[in-house]
Short mmCIF file of all heavy atoms in Angstrom, two decimals:
data_model
loop_
_atom_site.label_atom_id
_atom_site.label_comp_id
_atom_site.label_asym_id
_atom_site.label_seq_id
_atom_site.Cartn_x
_atom_site.Cartn_y
_atom_site.Cartn_z
N LEU S 413 -61.02 -45.40 127.90
CA LEU S 413 -61.43 -44.10 128.10
C LEU S 413 -62.73 -44.01 129.04
O LEU S 413 -62.86 -43.36 129.96
CB LEU S 413 -61.53 -43.32 126.91
CG LEU S 413 -62.11 -41.82 127.04
CD1 LEU S 413 -61.01 -41.09 127.71
CD2 LEU S 413 -62.26 -41.19 125.56
N ALA S 414 -63.68 -44.95 128.55
CA ALA S 414 -64.94 -44.99 129.25
C ALA S 414 -64.83 -45.47 130.72
O ALA S 414 -65.48 -44.99 131.69
CB ALA S 414 -65.95 -45.97 128.58
N VAL S 415 -63.91 -46.37 130.84
CA VAL S 415 -63.71 -47.02 132.32
C VAL S 415 -63.09 -45.94 133.24
O VAL S 415 -63.53 -45.75 134.31
CB VAL S 415 -62.81 -48.31 132.27
CG1 VAL S 415 -62.34 -48.66 133.64
CG2 VAL S 415 -63.56 -49.49 131.56
N ILE S 416 -61.94 -45.25 132.60
CA ILE S 416 -61.31 -44.17 133.36
C ILE S 416 -62.39 -43.09 133.74
O ILE S 416 -62.41 -42.54 134.79
CB ILE S 416 -60.14 -43.60 132.59
CG1 ILE S 416 -59.05 -44.64 132.62
CG2 ILE S 416 -59.61 -42.32 133.35
CD1 ILE S 416 -57.90 -44.28 131.52
N GLY S 417 -63.20 -42.71 132.82
CA GLY S 417 -64.32 -41.75 133.08
C GLY S 417 -65.16 -42.17 134.15
O GLY S 417 -65.57 -41.29 135.08
N MET S 418 -65.61 -43.37 134.20
CA MET S 418 -66.51 -43.93 135.23
C MET S 418 -65.86 -43.84 136.54
O MET S 418 -66.42 -43.45 137.70
CB MET S 418 -66.99 -45.35 134.96
CG MET S 418 -67.89 -45.37 133.78
SD MET S 418 -68.36 -47.06 133.29
CE MET S 418 -69.07 -46.82 131.66
N LEU S 419 -64.53 -44.27 136.68
CA LEU S 419 -63.77 -44.21 137.89
C LEU S 419 -63.54 -42.77 138.43
O LEU S 419 -63.67 -42.46 139.60
CB LEU S 419 -62.41 -44.79 137.73
CG LEU S 419 -62.35 -46.31 137.44
CD1 LEU S 419 -61.03 -46.87 137.13
CD2 LEU S 419 -62.95 -47.15 138.63
N ALA S 420 -63.33 -41.78 137.39
CA ALA S 420 -63.27 -40.42 137.79
C ALA S 420 -64.51 -39.88 138.36
O ALA S 420 -64.66 -39.02 139.25
CB ALA S 420 -62.75 -39.54 136.58
N SER S 421 -65.65 -40.32 137.96
CA SER S 421 -66.94 -40.04 138.37
C SER S 421 -67.13 -40.39 139.71
O SER S 421 -67.66 -39.68 140.55
CB SER S 421 -68.05 -40.72 137.55
OG SER S 421 -68.17 -40.09 136.27
N VAL S 422 -66.72 -41.59 140.07
CA VAL S 422 -66.75 -42.10 141.42
C VAL S 422 -66.07 -41.25 142.54
O VAL S 422 -66.46 -40.87 143.48
CB VAL S 422 -66.37 -43.57 141.55
CG1 VAL S 422 -66.26 -44.06 142.98
CG2 VAL S 422 -67.29 -44.46 140.64
N VAL S 423 -64.76 -40.91 142.06
CA VAL S 423 -63.92 -40.08 142.84
C VAL S 423 -64.52 -38.63 143.11
O VAL S 423 -64.70 -38.13 144.14
CB VAL S 423 -62.47 -39.88 142.27
CG1 VAL S 423 -61.59 -38.91 143.17
CG2 VAL S 423 -61.88 -41.28 142.14
N GLY S 424 -65.06 -38.13 141.92
CA GLY S 424 -65.56 -36.76 141.93
C GLY S 424 -66.89 -36.67 142.85
O GLY S 424 -67.14 -35.62 143.38
N ALA S 425 -67.60 -37.83 142.92
CA ALA S 425 -68.80 -37.90 143.70
C ALA S 425 -68.57 -37.52 145.16
O ALA S 425 -69.39 -36.89 145.84
CB ALA S 425 -69.48 -39.24 143.54
N TYR S 426 -67.34 -37.79 145.64
CA TYR S 426 -67.02 -37.57 147.03
C TYR S 426 -67.12 -36.06 147.44
O TYR S 426 -67.84 -35.74 148.37
CB TYR S 426 -65.48 -37.99 147.26
CG TYR S 426 -65.02 -37.54 148.58
CD1 TYR S 426 -65.44 -38.09 149.85
CD2 TYR S 426 -64.15 -36.40 148.64
CE1 TYR S 426 -64.86 -37.59 151.10
CE2 TYR S 426 -63.78 -35.83 149.92
CZ TYR S 426 -64.07 -36.48 151.11
OH TYR S 426 -63.77 -35.91 152.28
N TYR S 427 -66.58 -35.25 146.63
CA TYR S 427 -66.56 -33.77 147.00
C TYR S 427 -68.04 -33.16 146.81
O TYR S 427 -68.39 -32.22 147.46
CB TYR S 427 -65.49 -32.97 146.33
CG TYR S 427 -65.41 -32.87 144.80
CD1 TYR S 427 -66.20 -32.03 144.13
CD2 TYR S 427 -64.45 -33.63 144.18
CE1 TYR S 427 -66.08 -32.04 142.80
CE2 TYR S 427 -64.28 -33.55 142.84
CZ TYR S 427 -65.10 -32.79 142.14
OH TYR S 427 -64.96 -32.77 140.78
N TYR S 428 -68.77 -33.70 145.86
CA TYR S 428 -70.19 -33.19 145.76
C TYR S 428 -71.00 -33.59 146.88
O TYR S 428 -71.76 -32.84 147.54
CB TYR S 428 -70.80 -33.65 144.49
CG TYR S 428 -70.07 -33.17 143.25
CD1 TYR S 428 -69.58 -34.06 142.31
CD2 TYR S 428 -70.10 -31.83 143.02
CE1 TYR S 428 -69.00 -33.45 141.11
CE2 TYR S 428 -69.40 -31.33 141.80
CZ TYR S 428 -68.93 -32.20 140.79
OH TYR S 428 -68.41 -31.64 139.71
N LEU S 429 -70.79 -34.90 147.25
CA LEU S 429 -71.64 -35.50 148.53
C LEU S 429 -71.13 -34.82 149.76
O LEU S 429 -71.96 -34.74 150.70
CB LEU S 429 -71.50 -36.96 148.44
CG LEU S 429 -72.16 -37.69 147.24
CD1 LEU S 429 -72.05 -39.18 147.39
CD2 LEU S 429 -73.50 -37.29 146.95
N ARG S 430 -69.89 -34.43 149.79
CA ARG S 430 -69.43 -33.84 151.02
C ARG S 430 -70.16 -32.42 151.27
O ARG S 430 -70.45 -32.17 152.36
CB ARG S 430 -67.83 -33.53 150.98
CG ARG S 430 -67.32 -32.82 152.11
CD ARG S 430 -65.77 -32.85 152.14
NE ARG S 430 -65.22 -32.08 151.00
CZ ARG S 430 -64.70 -30.77 151.14
NH1 ARG S 430 -64.81 -30.25 152.28
NH2 ARG S 430 -64.27 -30.25 150.12
N ILE S 431 -70.54 -31.71 150.21
CA ILE S 431 -71.22 -30.57 150.28
C ILE S 431 -72.61 -30.89 150.89
O ILE S 431 -73.20 -30.14 151.81
CB ILE S 431 -71.30 -29.87 149.00
CG1 ILE S 431 -70.08 -29.26 148.64
CG2 ILE S 431 -72.41 -28.68 149.08
CD1 ILE S 431 -69.97 -28.63 147.26
N CYS S 432 -73.19 -31.94 150.46
CA CYS S 432 -74.60 -32.44 150.96
C CYS S 432 -74.50 -32.82 152.43
O CYS S 432 -75.35 -32.43 153.27
CB CYS S 432 -75.04 -33.61 150.24
SG CYS S 432 -75.36 -33.22 148.40
N LYS S 433 -73.34 -33.45 152.72
CA LYS S 433 -73.21 -33.78 154.25
C LYS S 433 -73.09 -32.46 155.04
O LYS S 433 -73.61 -32.45 156.22
CB LYS S 433 -71.88 -34.59 154.39
CG LYS S 433 -71.42 -35.07 155.79
CD LYS S 433 -70.18 -34.05 156.19
CE LYS S 433 -69.85 -34.41 157.65
NZ LYS S 433 -68.96 -33.36 158.21
N VAL S 434 -72.35 -31.55 154.61
CA VAL S 434 -72.06 -30.23 155.39
C VAL S 434 -73.54 -29.66 155.54
O VAL S 434 -73.87 -29.07 156.67
CB VAL S 434 -71.10 -29.30 154.61
CG1 VAL S 434 -71.25 -27.92 155.20
CG2 VAL S 434 -69.74 -29.85 154.67
N MET S 435 -74.35 -29.57 154.44
CA MET S 435 -75.64 -28.97 154.57
C MET S 435 -76.60 -29.61 155.39
O MET S 435 -77.34 -29.01 156.11
CB MET S 435 -76.26 -28.75 153.18
CG MET S 435 -75.47 -27.86 152.23
SD MET S 435 -76.39 -27.45 150.68
CE MET S 435 -76.57 -29.06 149.99
N PHE S 436 -76.56 -30.89 155.47
CA PHE S 436 -77.62 -31.67 156.27
C PHE S 436 -77.25 -32.24 157.59
O PHE S 436 -78.10 -32.51 158.38
CB PHE S 436 -78.10 -32.85 155.34
CG PHE S 436 -79.00 -32.30 154.13
CD1 PHE S 436 -78.52 -31.97 152.95
CD2 PHE S 436 -80.30 -32.16 154.29
CE1 PHE S 436 -79.25 -31.59 151.81
CE2 PHE S 436 -81.21 -31.63 153.22
CZ PHE S 436 -80.63 -31.41 152.00
N PHE S 437 -75.88 -32.35 157.80
CA PHE S 437 -75.52 -32.98 159.04
C PHE S 437 -74.59 -32.20 159.93
O PHE S 437 -74.49 -32.48 161.16
CB PHE S 437 -74.81 -34.39 158.67
CG PHE S 437 -75.61 -35.36 158.01
CD1 PHE S 437 -75.54 -35.54 156.64
CD2 PHE S 437 -76.78 -36.01 158.56
CE1 PHE S 437 -76.36 -36.44 155.88
CE2 PHE S 437 -77.59 -36.91 158.02
CZ PHE S 437 -77.36 -37.11 156.60
N ASP S 438 -74.06 -31.11 159.48
CA ASP S 438 -73.30 -30.29 160.41
C ASP S 438 -74.09 -29.26 161.11
O ASP S 438 -75.23 -29.06 160.80
CB ASP S 438 -72.31 -29.52 159.53
CG ASP S 438 -71.14 -30.33 159.09
OD1 ASP S 438 -71.12 -31.61 159.19
OD2 ASP S 438 -70.08 -29.88 158.47
N GLU S 439 -73.53 -28.81 162.29
CA GLU S 439 -74.18 -27.78 163.05
C GLU S 439 -74.31 -26.50 162.34
O GLU S 439 -73.48 -26.11 161.57
CB GLU S 439 -73.34 -27.61 164.36
CG GLU S 439 -73.47 -28.51 165.39
CD GLU S 439 -74.85 -28.87 165.90
OE1 GLU S 439 -75.56 -27.80 166.22
OE2 GLU S 439 -75.21 -29.96 165.83
#
Side-chain angles (χ1 to χ4, degrees):
L413 180 62
V415 169
I416 291 168
M418 290 173 196
L419 294 174
S421 286
V422 173
V423 176
Y426 166 77
Y427 56 81
Y428 295 122
L429 298 181
R430 181 165 64 96
I431 292 175
C432 297
K433 174 258 176 190
V434 167
M435 291 192 297
F436 286 91
F437 298 106
D438 285 12
E439 283 301 309

